[in-house]
């Protein structure tokens, strides 16, 4: 679940099972807010309370709904600041990972239990950091995509599948705030209130469409995926980096980014609150020679103190003083095929294959009523078209797709269409 869109939502009952036209039904009374069934649970912030939750959830039955709230835009990193759970027989729980930073005992108690998450890939990294790793899961957002729902945010899914409307509010709150206000806790508890119901309804819909096995393969792949490796040269992902062409300018970006990151980590604040990406790029492009020139650039204006300006100027000076052999090299070409826009010049035959394959995948995705990127990733299609098998046949294309990470259901669906498309361009 995204921090900005889903962590601050009220569930309210909807007359007639659909979204209301306004905030009041025809009788003029306010639409009642759906409250947590057992009220707002107390926040678990010590080991004794955590032990009771672990015991309760270990004794519960059925799948467990799990959600996590981060403080993106406020704090350094993507750590969890609240974990919400709900399970039949255990009720709901709100756990403070600041007071209880190790939830591995809870993770072990839920081993073998299906976890229900919405947009699982967003929450799994921060849950892993505190010792919670599912062995199996059901992702309600991904299930919605496979089932062909046009909108798959939690609010839209709850509304279209279960007949409740989400009343948005607190869309960008700082979940590191302590104590957490009661309205925020209510929203957080409601985030897992209906996840089990949503999961059950989506499973039935996927089964009806003949896509349940597809979903199971996708969920298994998410659960089995290893943690993402640390990014190499993360400073290269600075927004606006495409404007920076010269190696000396790249050195300025690298130096400013690294200084900013150290400050942000020490202060435990979002790096953007220390210095914006736009300001880093401005300094790199201008290569200011002194503090006065730096202060004239966007992002380094009157609100920035002299001491701050001097620390950024020192970073620019270090980059300016680097010998040529220590300047960063242009970004290494990514592994795999070049950007498709260059294919027509580099390999017209490959460009023709890609055009035909994209058309075939688009048509098939439309027939199956699911997004193209969920049917087969664009990167997989590009790799196949750039270096197709020497012998074009069902078995060779299927083998190539498997080598690029496609799941069995995807291979079964797209192989015939891709073989036909590639063969058509070879004649």
């Amino acid at each position: 679940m995204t921090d900005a869109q889903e962590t601050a939502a009220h569930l309210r009952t909807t007359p007639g099972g659909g979204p209301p036209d306004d905030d009041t039904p025809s009788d003029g009374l306010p639409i009642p807010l759906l409250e947590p069934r057992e009220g707002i649970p107390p926040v678990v912030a010590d080991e004794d309370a955590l032990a009771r939750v672990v015991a309760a959830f270990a004794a519960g039955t059925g799948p467990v709904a799990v959600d996590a709230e981060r403080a993106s835009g406020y704090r350094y990193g993507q750590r969890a600041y609240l974990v919400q759970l709900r399970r039949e027989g255990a009720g709901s729980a709100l756990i403070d990972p600041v007071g209880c930073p190790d939830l591995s005992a809870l993770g072990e108690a839920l081993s073998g239990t299906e976890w229900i998450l919405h947009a699982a890939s967003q929450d799994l990294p921060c849950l892993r950091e505190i010792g919670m790793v599912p062995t199996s899961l059901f992702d309600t957002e991904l299930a919605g995509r496979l089932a062909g729902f046009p909108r798959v945010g939690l609010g839209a899914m709850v509304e279209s599948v279960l007949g409740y409307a989400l009343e948005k509010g607190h869309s960008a709150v700082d979940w590191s705030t302590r104590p957490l206000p009661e309205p925020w806790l209510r929203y957080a508890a409601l985030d897992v209130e209906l996840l089990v119901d949503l999961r059950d309804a989506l499973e039935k819909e996927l089964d009806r469409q003949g896509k349940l096995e597809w979903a199971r393969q996708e969920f298994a792949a998410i659960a089995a995926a290893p943690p993402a490796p640390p990014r190499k040269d993360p400073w290269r992902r600075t927004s606006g980096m495409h404007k920076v062409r010269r190696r000396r300018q790249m050195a300025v970006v690298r130096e400013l980014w690294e200084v900013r990151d150290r400050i942000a980590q020490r202060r435990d604040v979002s790096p953007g609150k220390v210095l914006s990406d736009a300001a880093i790029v401005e300094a790199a492009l201008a290569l200011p020679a002194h503090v006065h020139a730096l202060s004239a650039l966007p992002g380094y204006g009157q609100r920035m103190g002299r001491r701050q300006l001097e620390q950024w100027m020192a970073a620019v000076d270090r980059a300016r003083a680097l010998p040529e052999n220590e300047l960063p090299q242009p970004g290494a070409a990514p592994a795999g095929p070049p950007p498709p826009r260059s294919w027509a010049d580099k390999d017209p035959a490959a460009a023709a294959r890609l055009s035909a394959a994209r058309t075939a995948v688009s048509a098939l995705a439309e027939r199956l009523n699911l997004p193209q990127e969920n049917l087969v990733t664009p990167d997989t299609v590009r790799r196949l078209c750039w270096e197709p098998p020497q012998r074009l046949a069902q078995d060779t294309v299927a083998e190539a797709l498997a080598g690029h990470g496609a799941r069995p259901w995807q291979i079964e669906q797209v192989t015939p269409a891709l073989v036909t498309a590639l063969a058509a361009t070879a004649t």
Side-chain angles (χ1 to χ4, degrees):
M1 167 180 306
T2 61
D3 290 336
Q5 293 179 330
E6 304 300 345
T7 58
H10 271 308
L11 280 171
R12 55 192 174 95
T13 58
T14 304
D21 294 329
D22 53 39
D23 291 335
T24 58
S26 57
D27 59 10
L29 297 175
I31 297 174
L33 292 175
L34 179 69
E35 296 290 338
R37 278 167 264 190
E38 297 89 15
I40 304 173
V43 177
V44 173
D46 62 68
E47 294 304 317
D48 289 341
L50 178 61
R52 291 192 292 272
V53 167
V54 171
F57 275 79
T61 58
V64 57
V66 182
D67 187 29
E69 310 296 354
R70 300 176 296 280
S72 303
Y74 296 93
R75 296 291 183 174
Y76 185 85
Q78 293 295 317
R79 66 174 292 187
Y81 282 94
L82 190 69
V83 175
Q84 308 100 280
L85 304 99
R86 184 174 181 82
R87 192 181 191 191
E88 185 69 29
S92 296
L94 302 177
I95 303 175
D96 179 4
V98 177
C100 301
D102 182 6
L103 300 187
S104 56
L106 180 59
E108 292 169 6
L110 296 173
S111 179
T113 299
E114 180 188 82
W115 294 22
I116 308 169
L117 302 102
H118 193 82
S121 60
Q122 297 185 27
D123 285 342
L124 288 178
C126 70
L127 290 170
R128 183 179 283 113
E129 288 181 359
I130 53 179
M132 296 187 65
V133 182
T135 52
S136 67
L137 61 85
F138 189 106
D139 186 334
T140 50
E141 185 202 49
L142 181 52
R145 292 181 184 279
L146 294 176
F149 284 86
R151 297 184 301 142
V152 293
L154 181 61
M157 294 296 294
V158 167
E159 181 176 323
S160 60
V161 176
L162 300 179
Y164 292 101
L166 288 176
E167 183 180 332
K168 296 185 182 298
H170 304 302
S171 60
V173 299
D174 179 3
W175 286 96
S176 68
T177 301
R178 292 297 182 272
L180 285 165
E182 183 177 315
W184 299 10
L185 296 176
R186 182 182 298 109
Y187 298 151
L190 289 171
D191 276 345
V192 292
E193 186 81 10
L194 293 181
L195 270 183
V196 175
D197 302 271
L198 182 60
R199 174 237 181 269
D200 291 345
L202 288 172
E203 182 180 61
K204 290 179 181 177
E205 179 61 21
L206 288 168
D207 190 35
R208 186 187 70 80
Q209 295 185 23
K211 299 176 180 177
L212 184 55
E213 176 57 28
W214 304 0
R216 287 172 175 161
Q217 291 181 26
E218 293 298 306
F219 301 157
I222 295 173
R231 294 188 186 278
K232 183 181 179 181
D233 293 341
W235 57 271
R236 293 185 185 272
R237 296 179 62 84
T238 302
S239 297
M241 189 68 191
H242 63 281
K243 303 175 186 177
V244 181
R245 304 290 187 183
R246 293 156 48 193
R247 293 173 62 204
R248 183 72 59 186
Q249 294 173 329
M250 293 179 187
V252 173
V253 172
R254 180 177 64 184
E255 195 67 34
L256 286 171
W257 189 98
E258 291 177 349
V259 171
R260 180 185 71 172
D261 194 64
R262 288 194 295 269
I263 294 171
Q265 189 169 12
R266 185 177 71 245
R267 295 181 184 173
D268 189 19
V269 297
S270 170
K273 289 186 174 296
V274 177
L275 187 69
S276 70
D277 280 10
I280 289 177
V281 171
E282 288 287 347
L285 295 176
L287 290 173
H290 44 71
V291 168
H292 181 70
L294 179 66
S295 67
L297 297 176
Y300 302 89
Q302 296 179 347
R303 294 184 178 181
M304 188 170 287
R306 178 77 182 187
R307 186 174 178 181
Q308 288 177 294
L309 282 170
E310 288 175 349
Q311 82 181 353
W312 301 127
M313 191 65 231
V316 174
D317 287 342
R318 287 193 296 272
R320 290 170 62 94
L322 283 175
E324 286 289 327
N325 63 352
E326 293 183 19
L327 295 177
Q329 297 295 327
R341 62 179 178 273
S342 66
W343 285 29
D345 293 329
K346 293 185 176 182
D347 190 338
R353 288 193 295 269
L354 182 61
S355 177
R358 283 174 165 174
T359 299
V361 169
S362 176
L364 180 58
E366 186 173 352
R367 288 201 302 273
L368 295 174
N369 191 29
L370 78 169
Q372 295 181 44
E373 62 271 18
N374 291 113
L375 176 58
V376 61
T377 67
D379 181 67
T380 295
V381 175
R382 285 193 295 268
R383 290 174 183 270
L384 175 69
C385 293
W386 186 251
E387 294 184 2
Q390 290 187 347
R391 179 178 62 87
L392 277 179
Q394 299 273 344
D395 60 331
T396 57
V397 170
E399 182 180 359
L401 291 171
H404 296 317
R407 256 75 73 191
W409 77 268
Q410 295 174 316
I411 296 170
E412 179 183 1
Q413 294 298 319
V414 303
T415 295
L418 289 174
V419 169
T420 300
L422 296 180
T425 61
T427 59

